[in-house]
Amino acid sequence: MEMTSLTTTQIDYAALVQRQRDYFATGATLPAEARLGHLQRLRQAVVQWETPILAALKSDLGKPEIEAYSSEIAMVLSEIDYAIRHLRKWMRPRACAGPWMSWPSRGSVTRQPFGVALILSPWNYPVQLLLSPLVGAIAAGNCAVVKPSEVAPATATVMRELIQSTFGREHVACVLGDKSVAEALLGERYDTIFYTGSTGVGRKVMAAAARHLTPVTLELGGKCPCIVTADARLDVAARRIIWGKMINAGQTCVAPDFVWVERSVCDAFLQACRKAIRAFYGADPRQSPDFGRIVNRAHFDRITAYLSQGVRCVGGECDPEQLYIAPTVLTDVALTAKVMQEEIFGPVLPVLSFDGIDQAFSQLKEMPSPLAIYLFSSDRALARRVMDELPAGGVCVNDVMMQMLGKQLPFGGVGDSGMGRYHGRDSFECFTYAKTLLRCSTALDTALRYPPLRIGLGTFRRFAGVLLRR
């Protein structure tokens, strides 16, 4: 599973983008029937390419077959199906009232595609996080240039072949290459950019977009905390936290990054974590068919460096040849340790304890805003306080990562964890802008709007309060 180089022919990126811009200008991507047809073809392609997709995910990340299907292919198919069912409704203009001063008039708002979109995807979910944004771009009526991550080379190659067999390059083009290719792509002008990845690279993407005032959607990372209080169902909390942390060997942007547990139940929670890990992966997770591997040696070395920054309560075994790191729980971790300052992105879970909830809140407020906060508690008032006081892209109570699955729940970050939302209708809106239309009549043309005005300010102020009310 070591990263191999992706070769790609030299491409004239300016010509590629211009070709898509010319194609978009023909209007071929705009009719509802065309969009639905493109989505249906994408769906058929994903189904037809299931076997090579699963093989590529196994090669790149050691993903177990069922985990790969559920977290990658099924998620994409669900996104496509939802868009197909609702697209006509999303495209329908929304009627709205015009101002009194233009009466009689009628207003409407229509969502219009931006034009040419650039989609840059990461390596950890290299199918889902490439194709799910593409679903939104196609449903919205855009053309798109997509670049898979070179860190998952086998999957990137399959994605290119799938896209080339499904779309013309003037509509959707897939470009392979390393970060120099991404930088070359960012040198061109697009109408919108969608990036999923690290916060550091997200800043570079935003800086590149600023040169052309291009709108961006940034789906970034962050340290997603869990809070577990004494009144929580500890067995359920431990199972769900361990499940969410260890999927894809911890290489998930919304995975629980660390846990704050009320001190009185910390030992019981740790014991429940040990039990959950053994139940999920057996006595030797290295032999489990349900546990993945780290993507490459560089990430393996980065993660294993965290293992010495606390007491290994569970796990800690490593195998550099297999890029295997056991499901690991750390205790006695200092807040200043790197494992508490950097996004872990691996199967290592620090567990800290607190005496009062205010202590946990004060520490969390000092940290950058995460993609998600997870609370395990039966206290509804505490859940409301988490929502009101702790900035995050989303909050999930008594579970982890489920907030990603609801098509009516917008997904995205805030601050260091990103900007913009997608999934479901929000994917359609992510790749469109609101365009207003106001139809005015010429039957009435009051003199009150034109100079010279023969009334005083006091009288006009009263009129203005009525005429500008809506």
Side-chain angles (χ1 to χ4, degrees):
M1 290 177 297
E2 283 290 342
M3 183 179 69
T4 58
S5 62
L6 281 179
T7 58
T8 184
T9 56
Q10 195 67 30
I11 298 174
D12 185 340
Y13 300 114
L16 174 63
V17 174
Q18 187 58 52
R19 184 180 178 188
Q20 291 204 345
R21 202 174 297 286
D22 293 342
Y23 183 68
F24 177 76
T26 68
T29 64
L30 301 183
E33 290 302 328
R35 304 185 198 192
L36 290 169
H38 297 318
L39 290 171
Q40 288 160 353
R41 282 195 291 276
L42 179 59
R43 191 189 199 286
Q44 292 168 0
V46 172
V47 172
Q48 290 170 359
W49 285 76
E50 176 183 315
T51 298
I53 287 173
L54 293 177
L57 291 169
K58 185 71 173 179
S59 173
D60 286 332
L61 289 147
K63 287 198 180 190
E65 195 171 67
I66 292 177
E67 179 186 308
Y69 184 88
S70 62
S71 65
E72 303 265 15
I73 295 174
M75 294 270 292
V76 172
L77 294 179
S78 174
E79 198 73 40
I80 295 172
D81 290 342
Y82 192 84
I84 289 174
R85 288 198 305 272
H86 296 280
L87 180 61
R88 293 186 187 277
K89 180 174 66 177
W90 296 343
M91 292 178 64
R92 198 173 300 143
R94 175 174 58 86
C96 56
W100 278 112
M101 285 187 67
S102 68
W103 186 87
S105 65
R106 291 179 300 169
S108 66
V109 179
T110 305
R111 303 296 306 193
Q112 297 285 338
F114 282 108
V116 178
L118 173 64
I119 299 173
L120 303 172
S121 69
W123 53 263
N124 58 326
Y125 290 89
V127 176
Q128 180 210 144
L129 297 180
L130 178 78
L131 296 185
S132 287
L134 181 61
V135 170
I138 292 171
N142 295 279
C143 298
V145 177
V146 301
K147 184 196 174 297
S149 171
E150 72 279 6
V151 180
T155 310
T157 299
V158 171
M159 289 295 97
R160 179 178 63 179
E161 293 171 356
L162 183 154
I163 288 170
Q164 286 180 344
S165 69
T166 308
F167 303 100
R169 283 177 67 81
E170 71 280 0
H171 185 198
V172 181
C174 184
V175 177
L176 301 189
D178 59 17
K179 67 178 183 179
S180 66
V181 172
E183 291 168 356
L185 285 169
L186 286 167
E188 304 302 325
R189 181 178 68 85
Y190 304 89
D191 300 301
T192 187
I193 297 175
F194 190 106
Y195 169 76
T196 306
S198 70
T199 301
V201 177
R203 291 190 177 97
K204 295 178 181 178
V205 171
M206 193 169 183
R211 293 198 296 268
H212 302 293
L213 296 180
T214 302
V216 296
T217 302
L218 302 177
E219 300 296 339
L220 309 178
K223 296 183 71 64
C224 300
C226 289
I227 303 172
V228 180
T229 61
D231 62 355
R233 281 278 308 275
L234 295 182
D235 55 340
V236 175
R239 281 197 300 270
R240 293 181 176 181
I241 291 171
I242 292 299
W243 170 80
K245 179 64 174 180
M246 302 307 166
I247 283 178
N248 201 25
Q251 298 163 116
T252 305
C253 60
V254 290
D257 194 271
F258 62 96
V259 185
W260 282 97
V261 187
E262 197 160 355
R263 191 178 304 278
S264 62
V265 295
C266 189
D267 289 343
F269 175 77
L270 291 171
Q271 183 59 36
C273 288
R274 292 188 192 95
K275 184 178 179 181
I277 290 172
R278 188 177 184 89
F280 294 167
Y281 307 114
D284 183 6
R286 187 192 324 247
Q287 307 303 322
S288 171
D290 299 309
F291 188 69
R293 296 296 185 264
I294 306 305
V295 68
N296 60 34
R297 185 58 186 262
H299 286 278
F300 176 89
D301 291 342
R302 179 185 59 80
I303 297 165
T304 54
Y306 295 138
L307 298 178
S308 62
Q309 297 176 15
V311 175
R312 302 178 197 181
C313 175
V314 185
E317 299 81 12
C318 305
D319 184 344
E321 294 300 318
Q322 292 190 27
L323 296 179
Y324 165 78
I325 300 175
T328 301
V329 177
L330 294 181
T331 60
D332 298 326
V333 179
L335 287 173
T336 55
K338 281 190 176 182
V339 73
M340 288 301 297
Q341 299 297 316
E342 302 170 351
E343 185 177 10
I344 297 171
F345 227 62
V348 179
L349 182 69
V351 175
L352 302 87
S353 59
F354 65 89
D355 294 305
I357 194 65
D358 288 340
Q359 177 190 2
F361 269 58
S362 64
Q363 295 292 343
L364 292 173
K365 287 177 182 179
E366 296 295 320
M367 296 181 173
S369 303
L371 268 173
I373 294 175
Y374 302 116
L375 171 68
F376 286 83
S377 175
S378 60
D379 188 339
R380 289 179 175 268
L382 179 59
R384 173 47 55 186
R385 187 180 171 195
V386 169
M387 275 292 294
D388 291 344
E389 296 185 23
L390 298 178
V395 173
C396 187
V397 179
N398 291 324
D399 213 331
V400 299
M401 295 167 51
M402 291 296 106
Q403 75 280 5
M404 285 189 63
L405 301 184
K407 296 297 183 293
Q408 298 185 39
L409 295 173
F411 175 76
V414 62
D416 281 10
S417 57
M419 62 179 67
R421 296 291 184 272
Y422 77 123
H423 290 176
R425 179 169 187 145
D426 289 274
S427 288
F428 174 81
E429 296 194 351
C430 175
F431 288 94
T432 58
Y433 65 94
K435 191 173 186 178
T436 60
L437 171 66
L438 183 65
R439 298 181 183 272
C440 301
S441 171
T442 58
L444 295 177
D445 195 33
T446 176
L448 284 176
R449 66 190 290 181
Y450 303 117
L453 298 179
R454 305 298 187 188
I455 58 176
L457 178 59
T459 304
F460 182 79
R461 187 184 295 116
R462 289 192 294 274
F463 272 114
V466 175
L467 295 176
L468 301 178
R469 184 168 298 164
R470 72 176 187 184

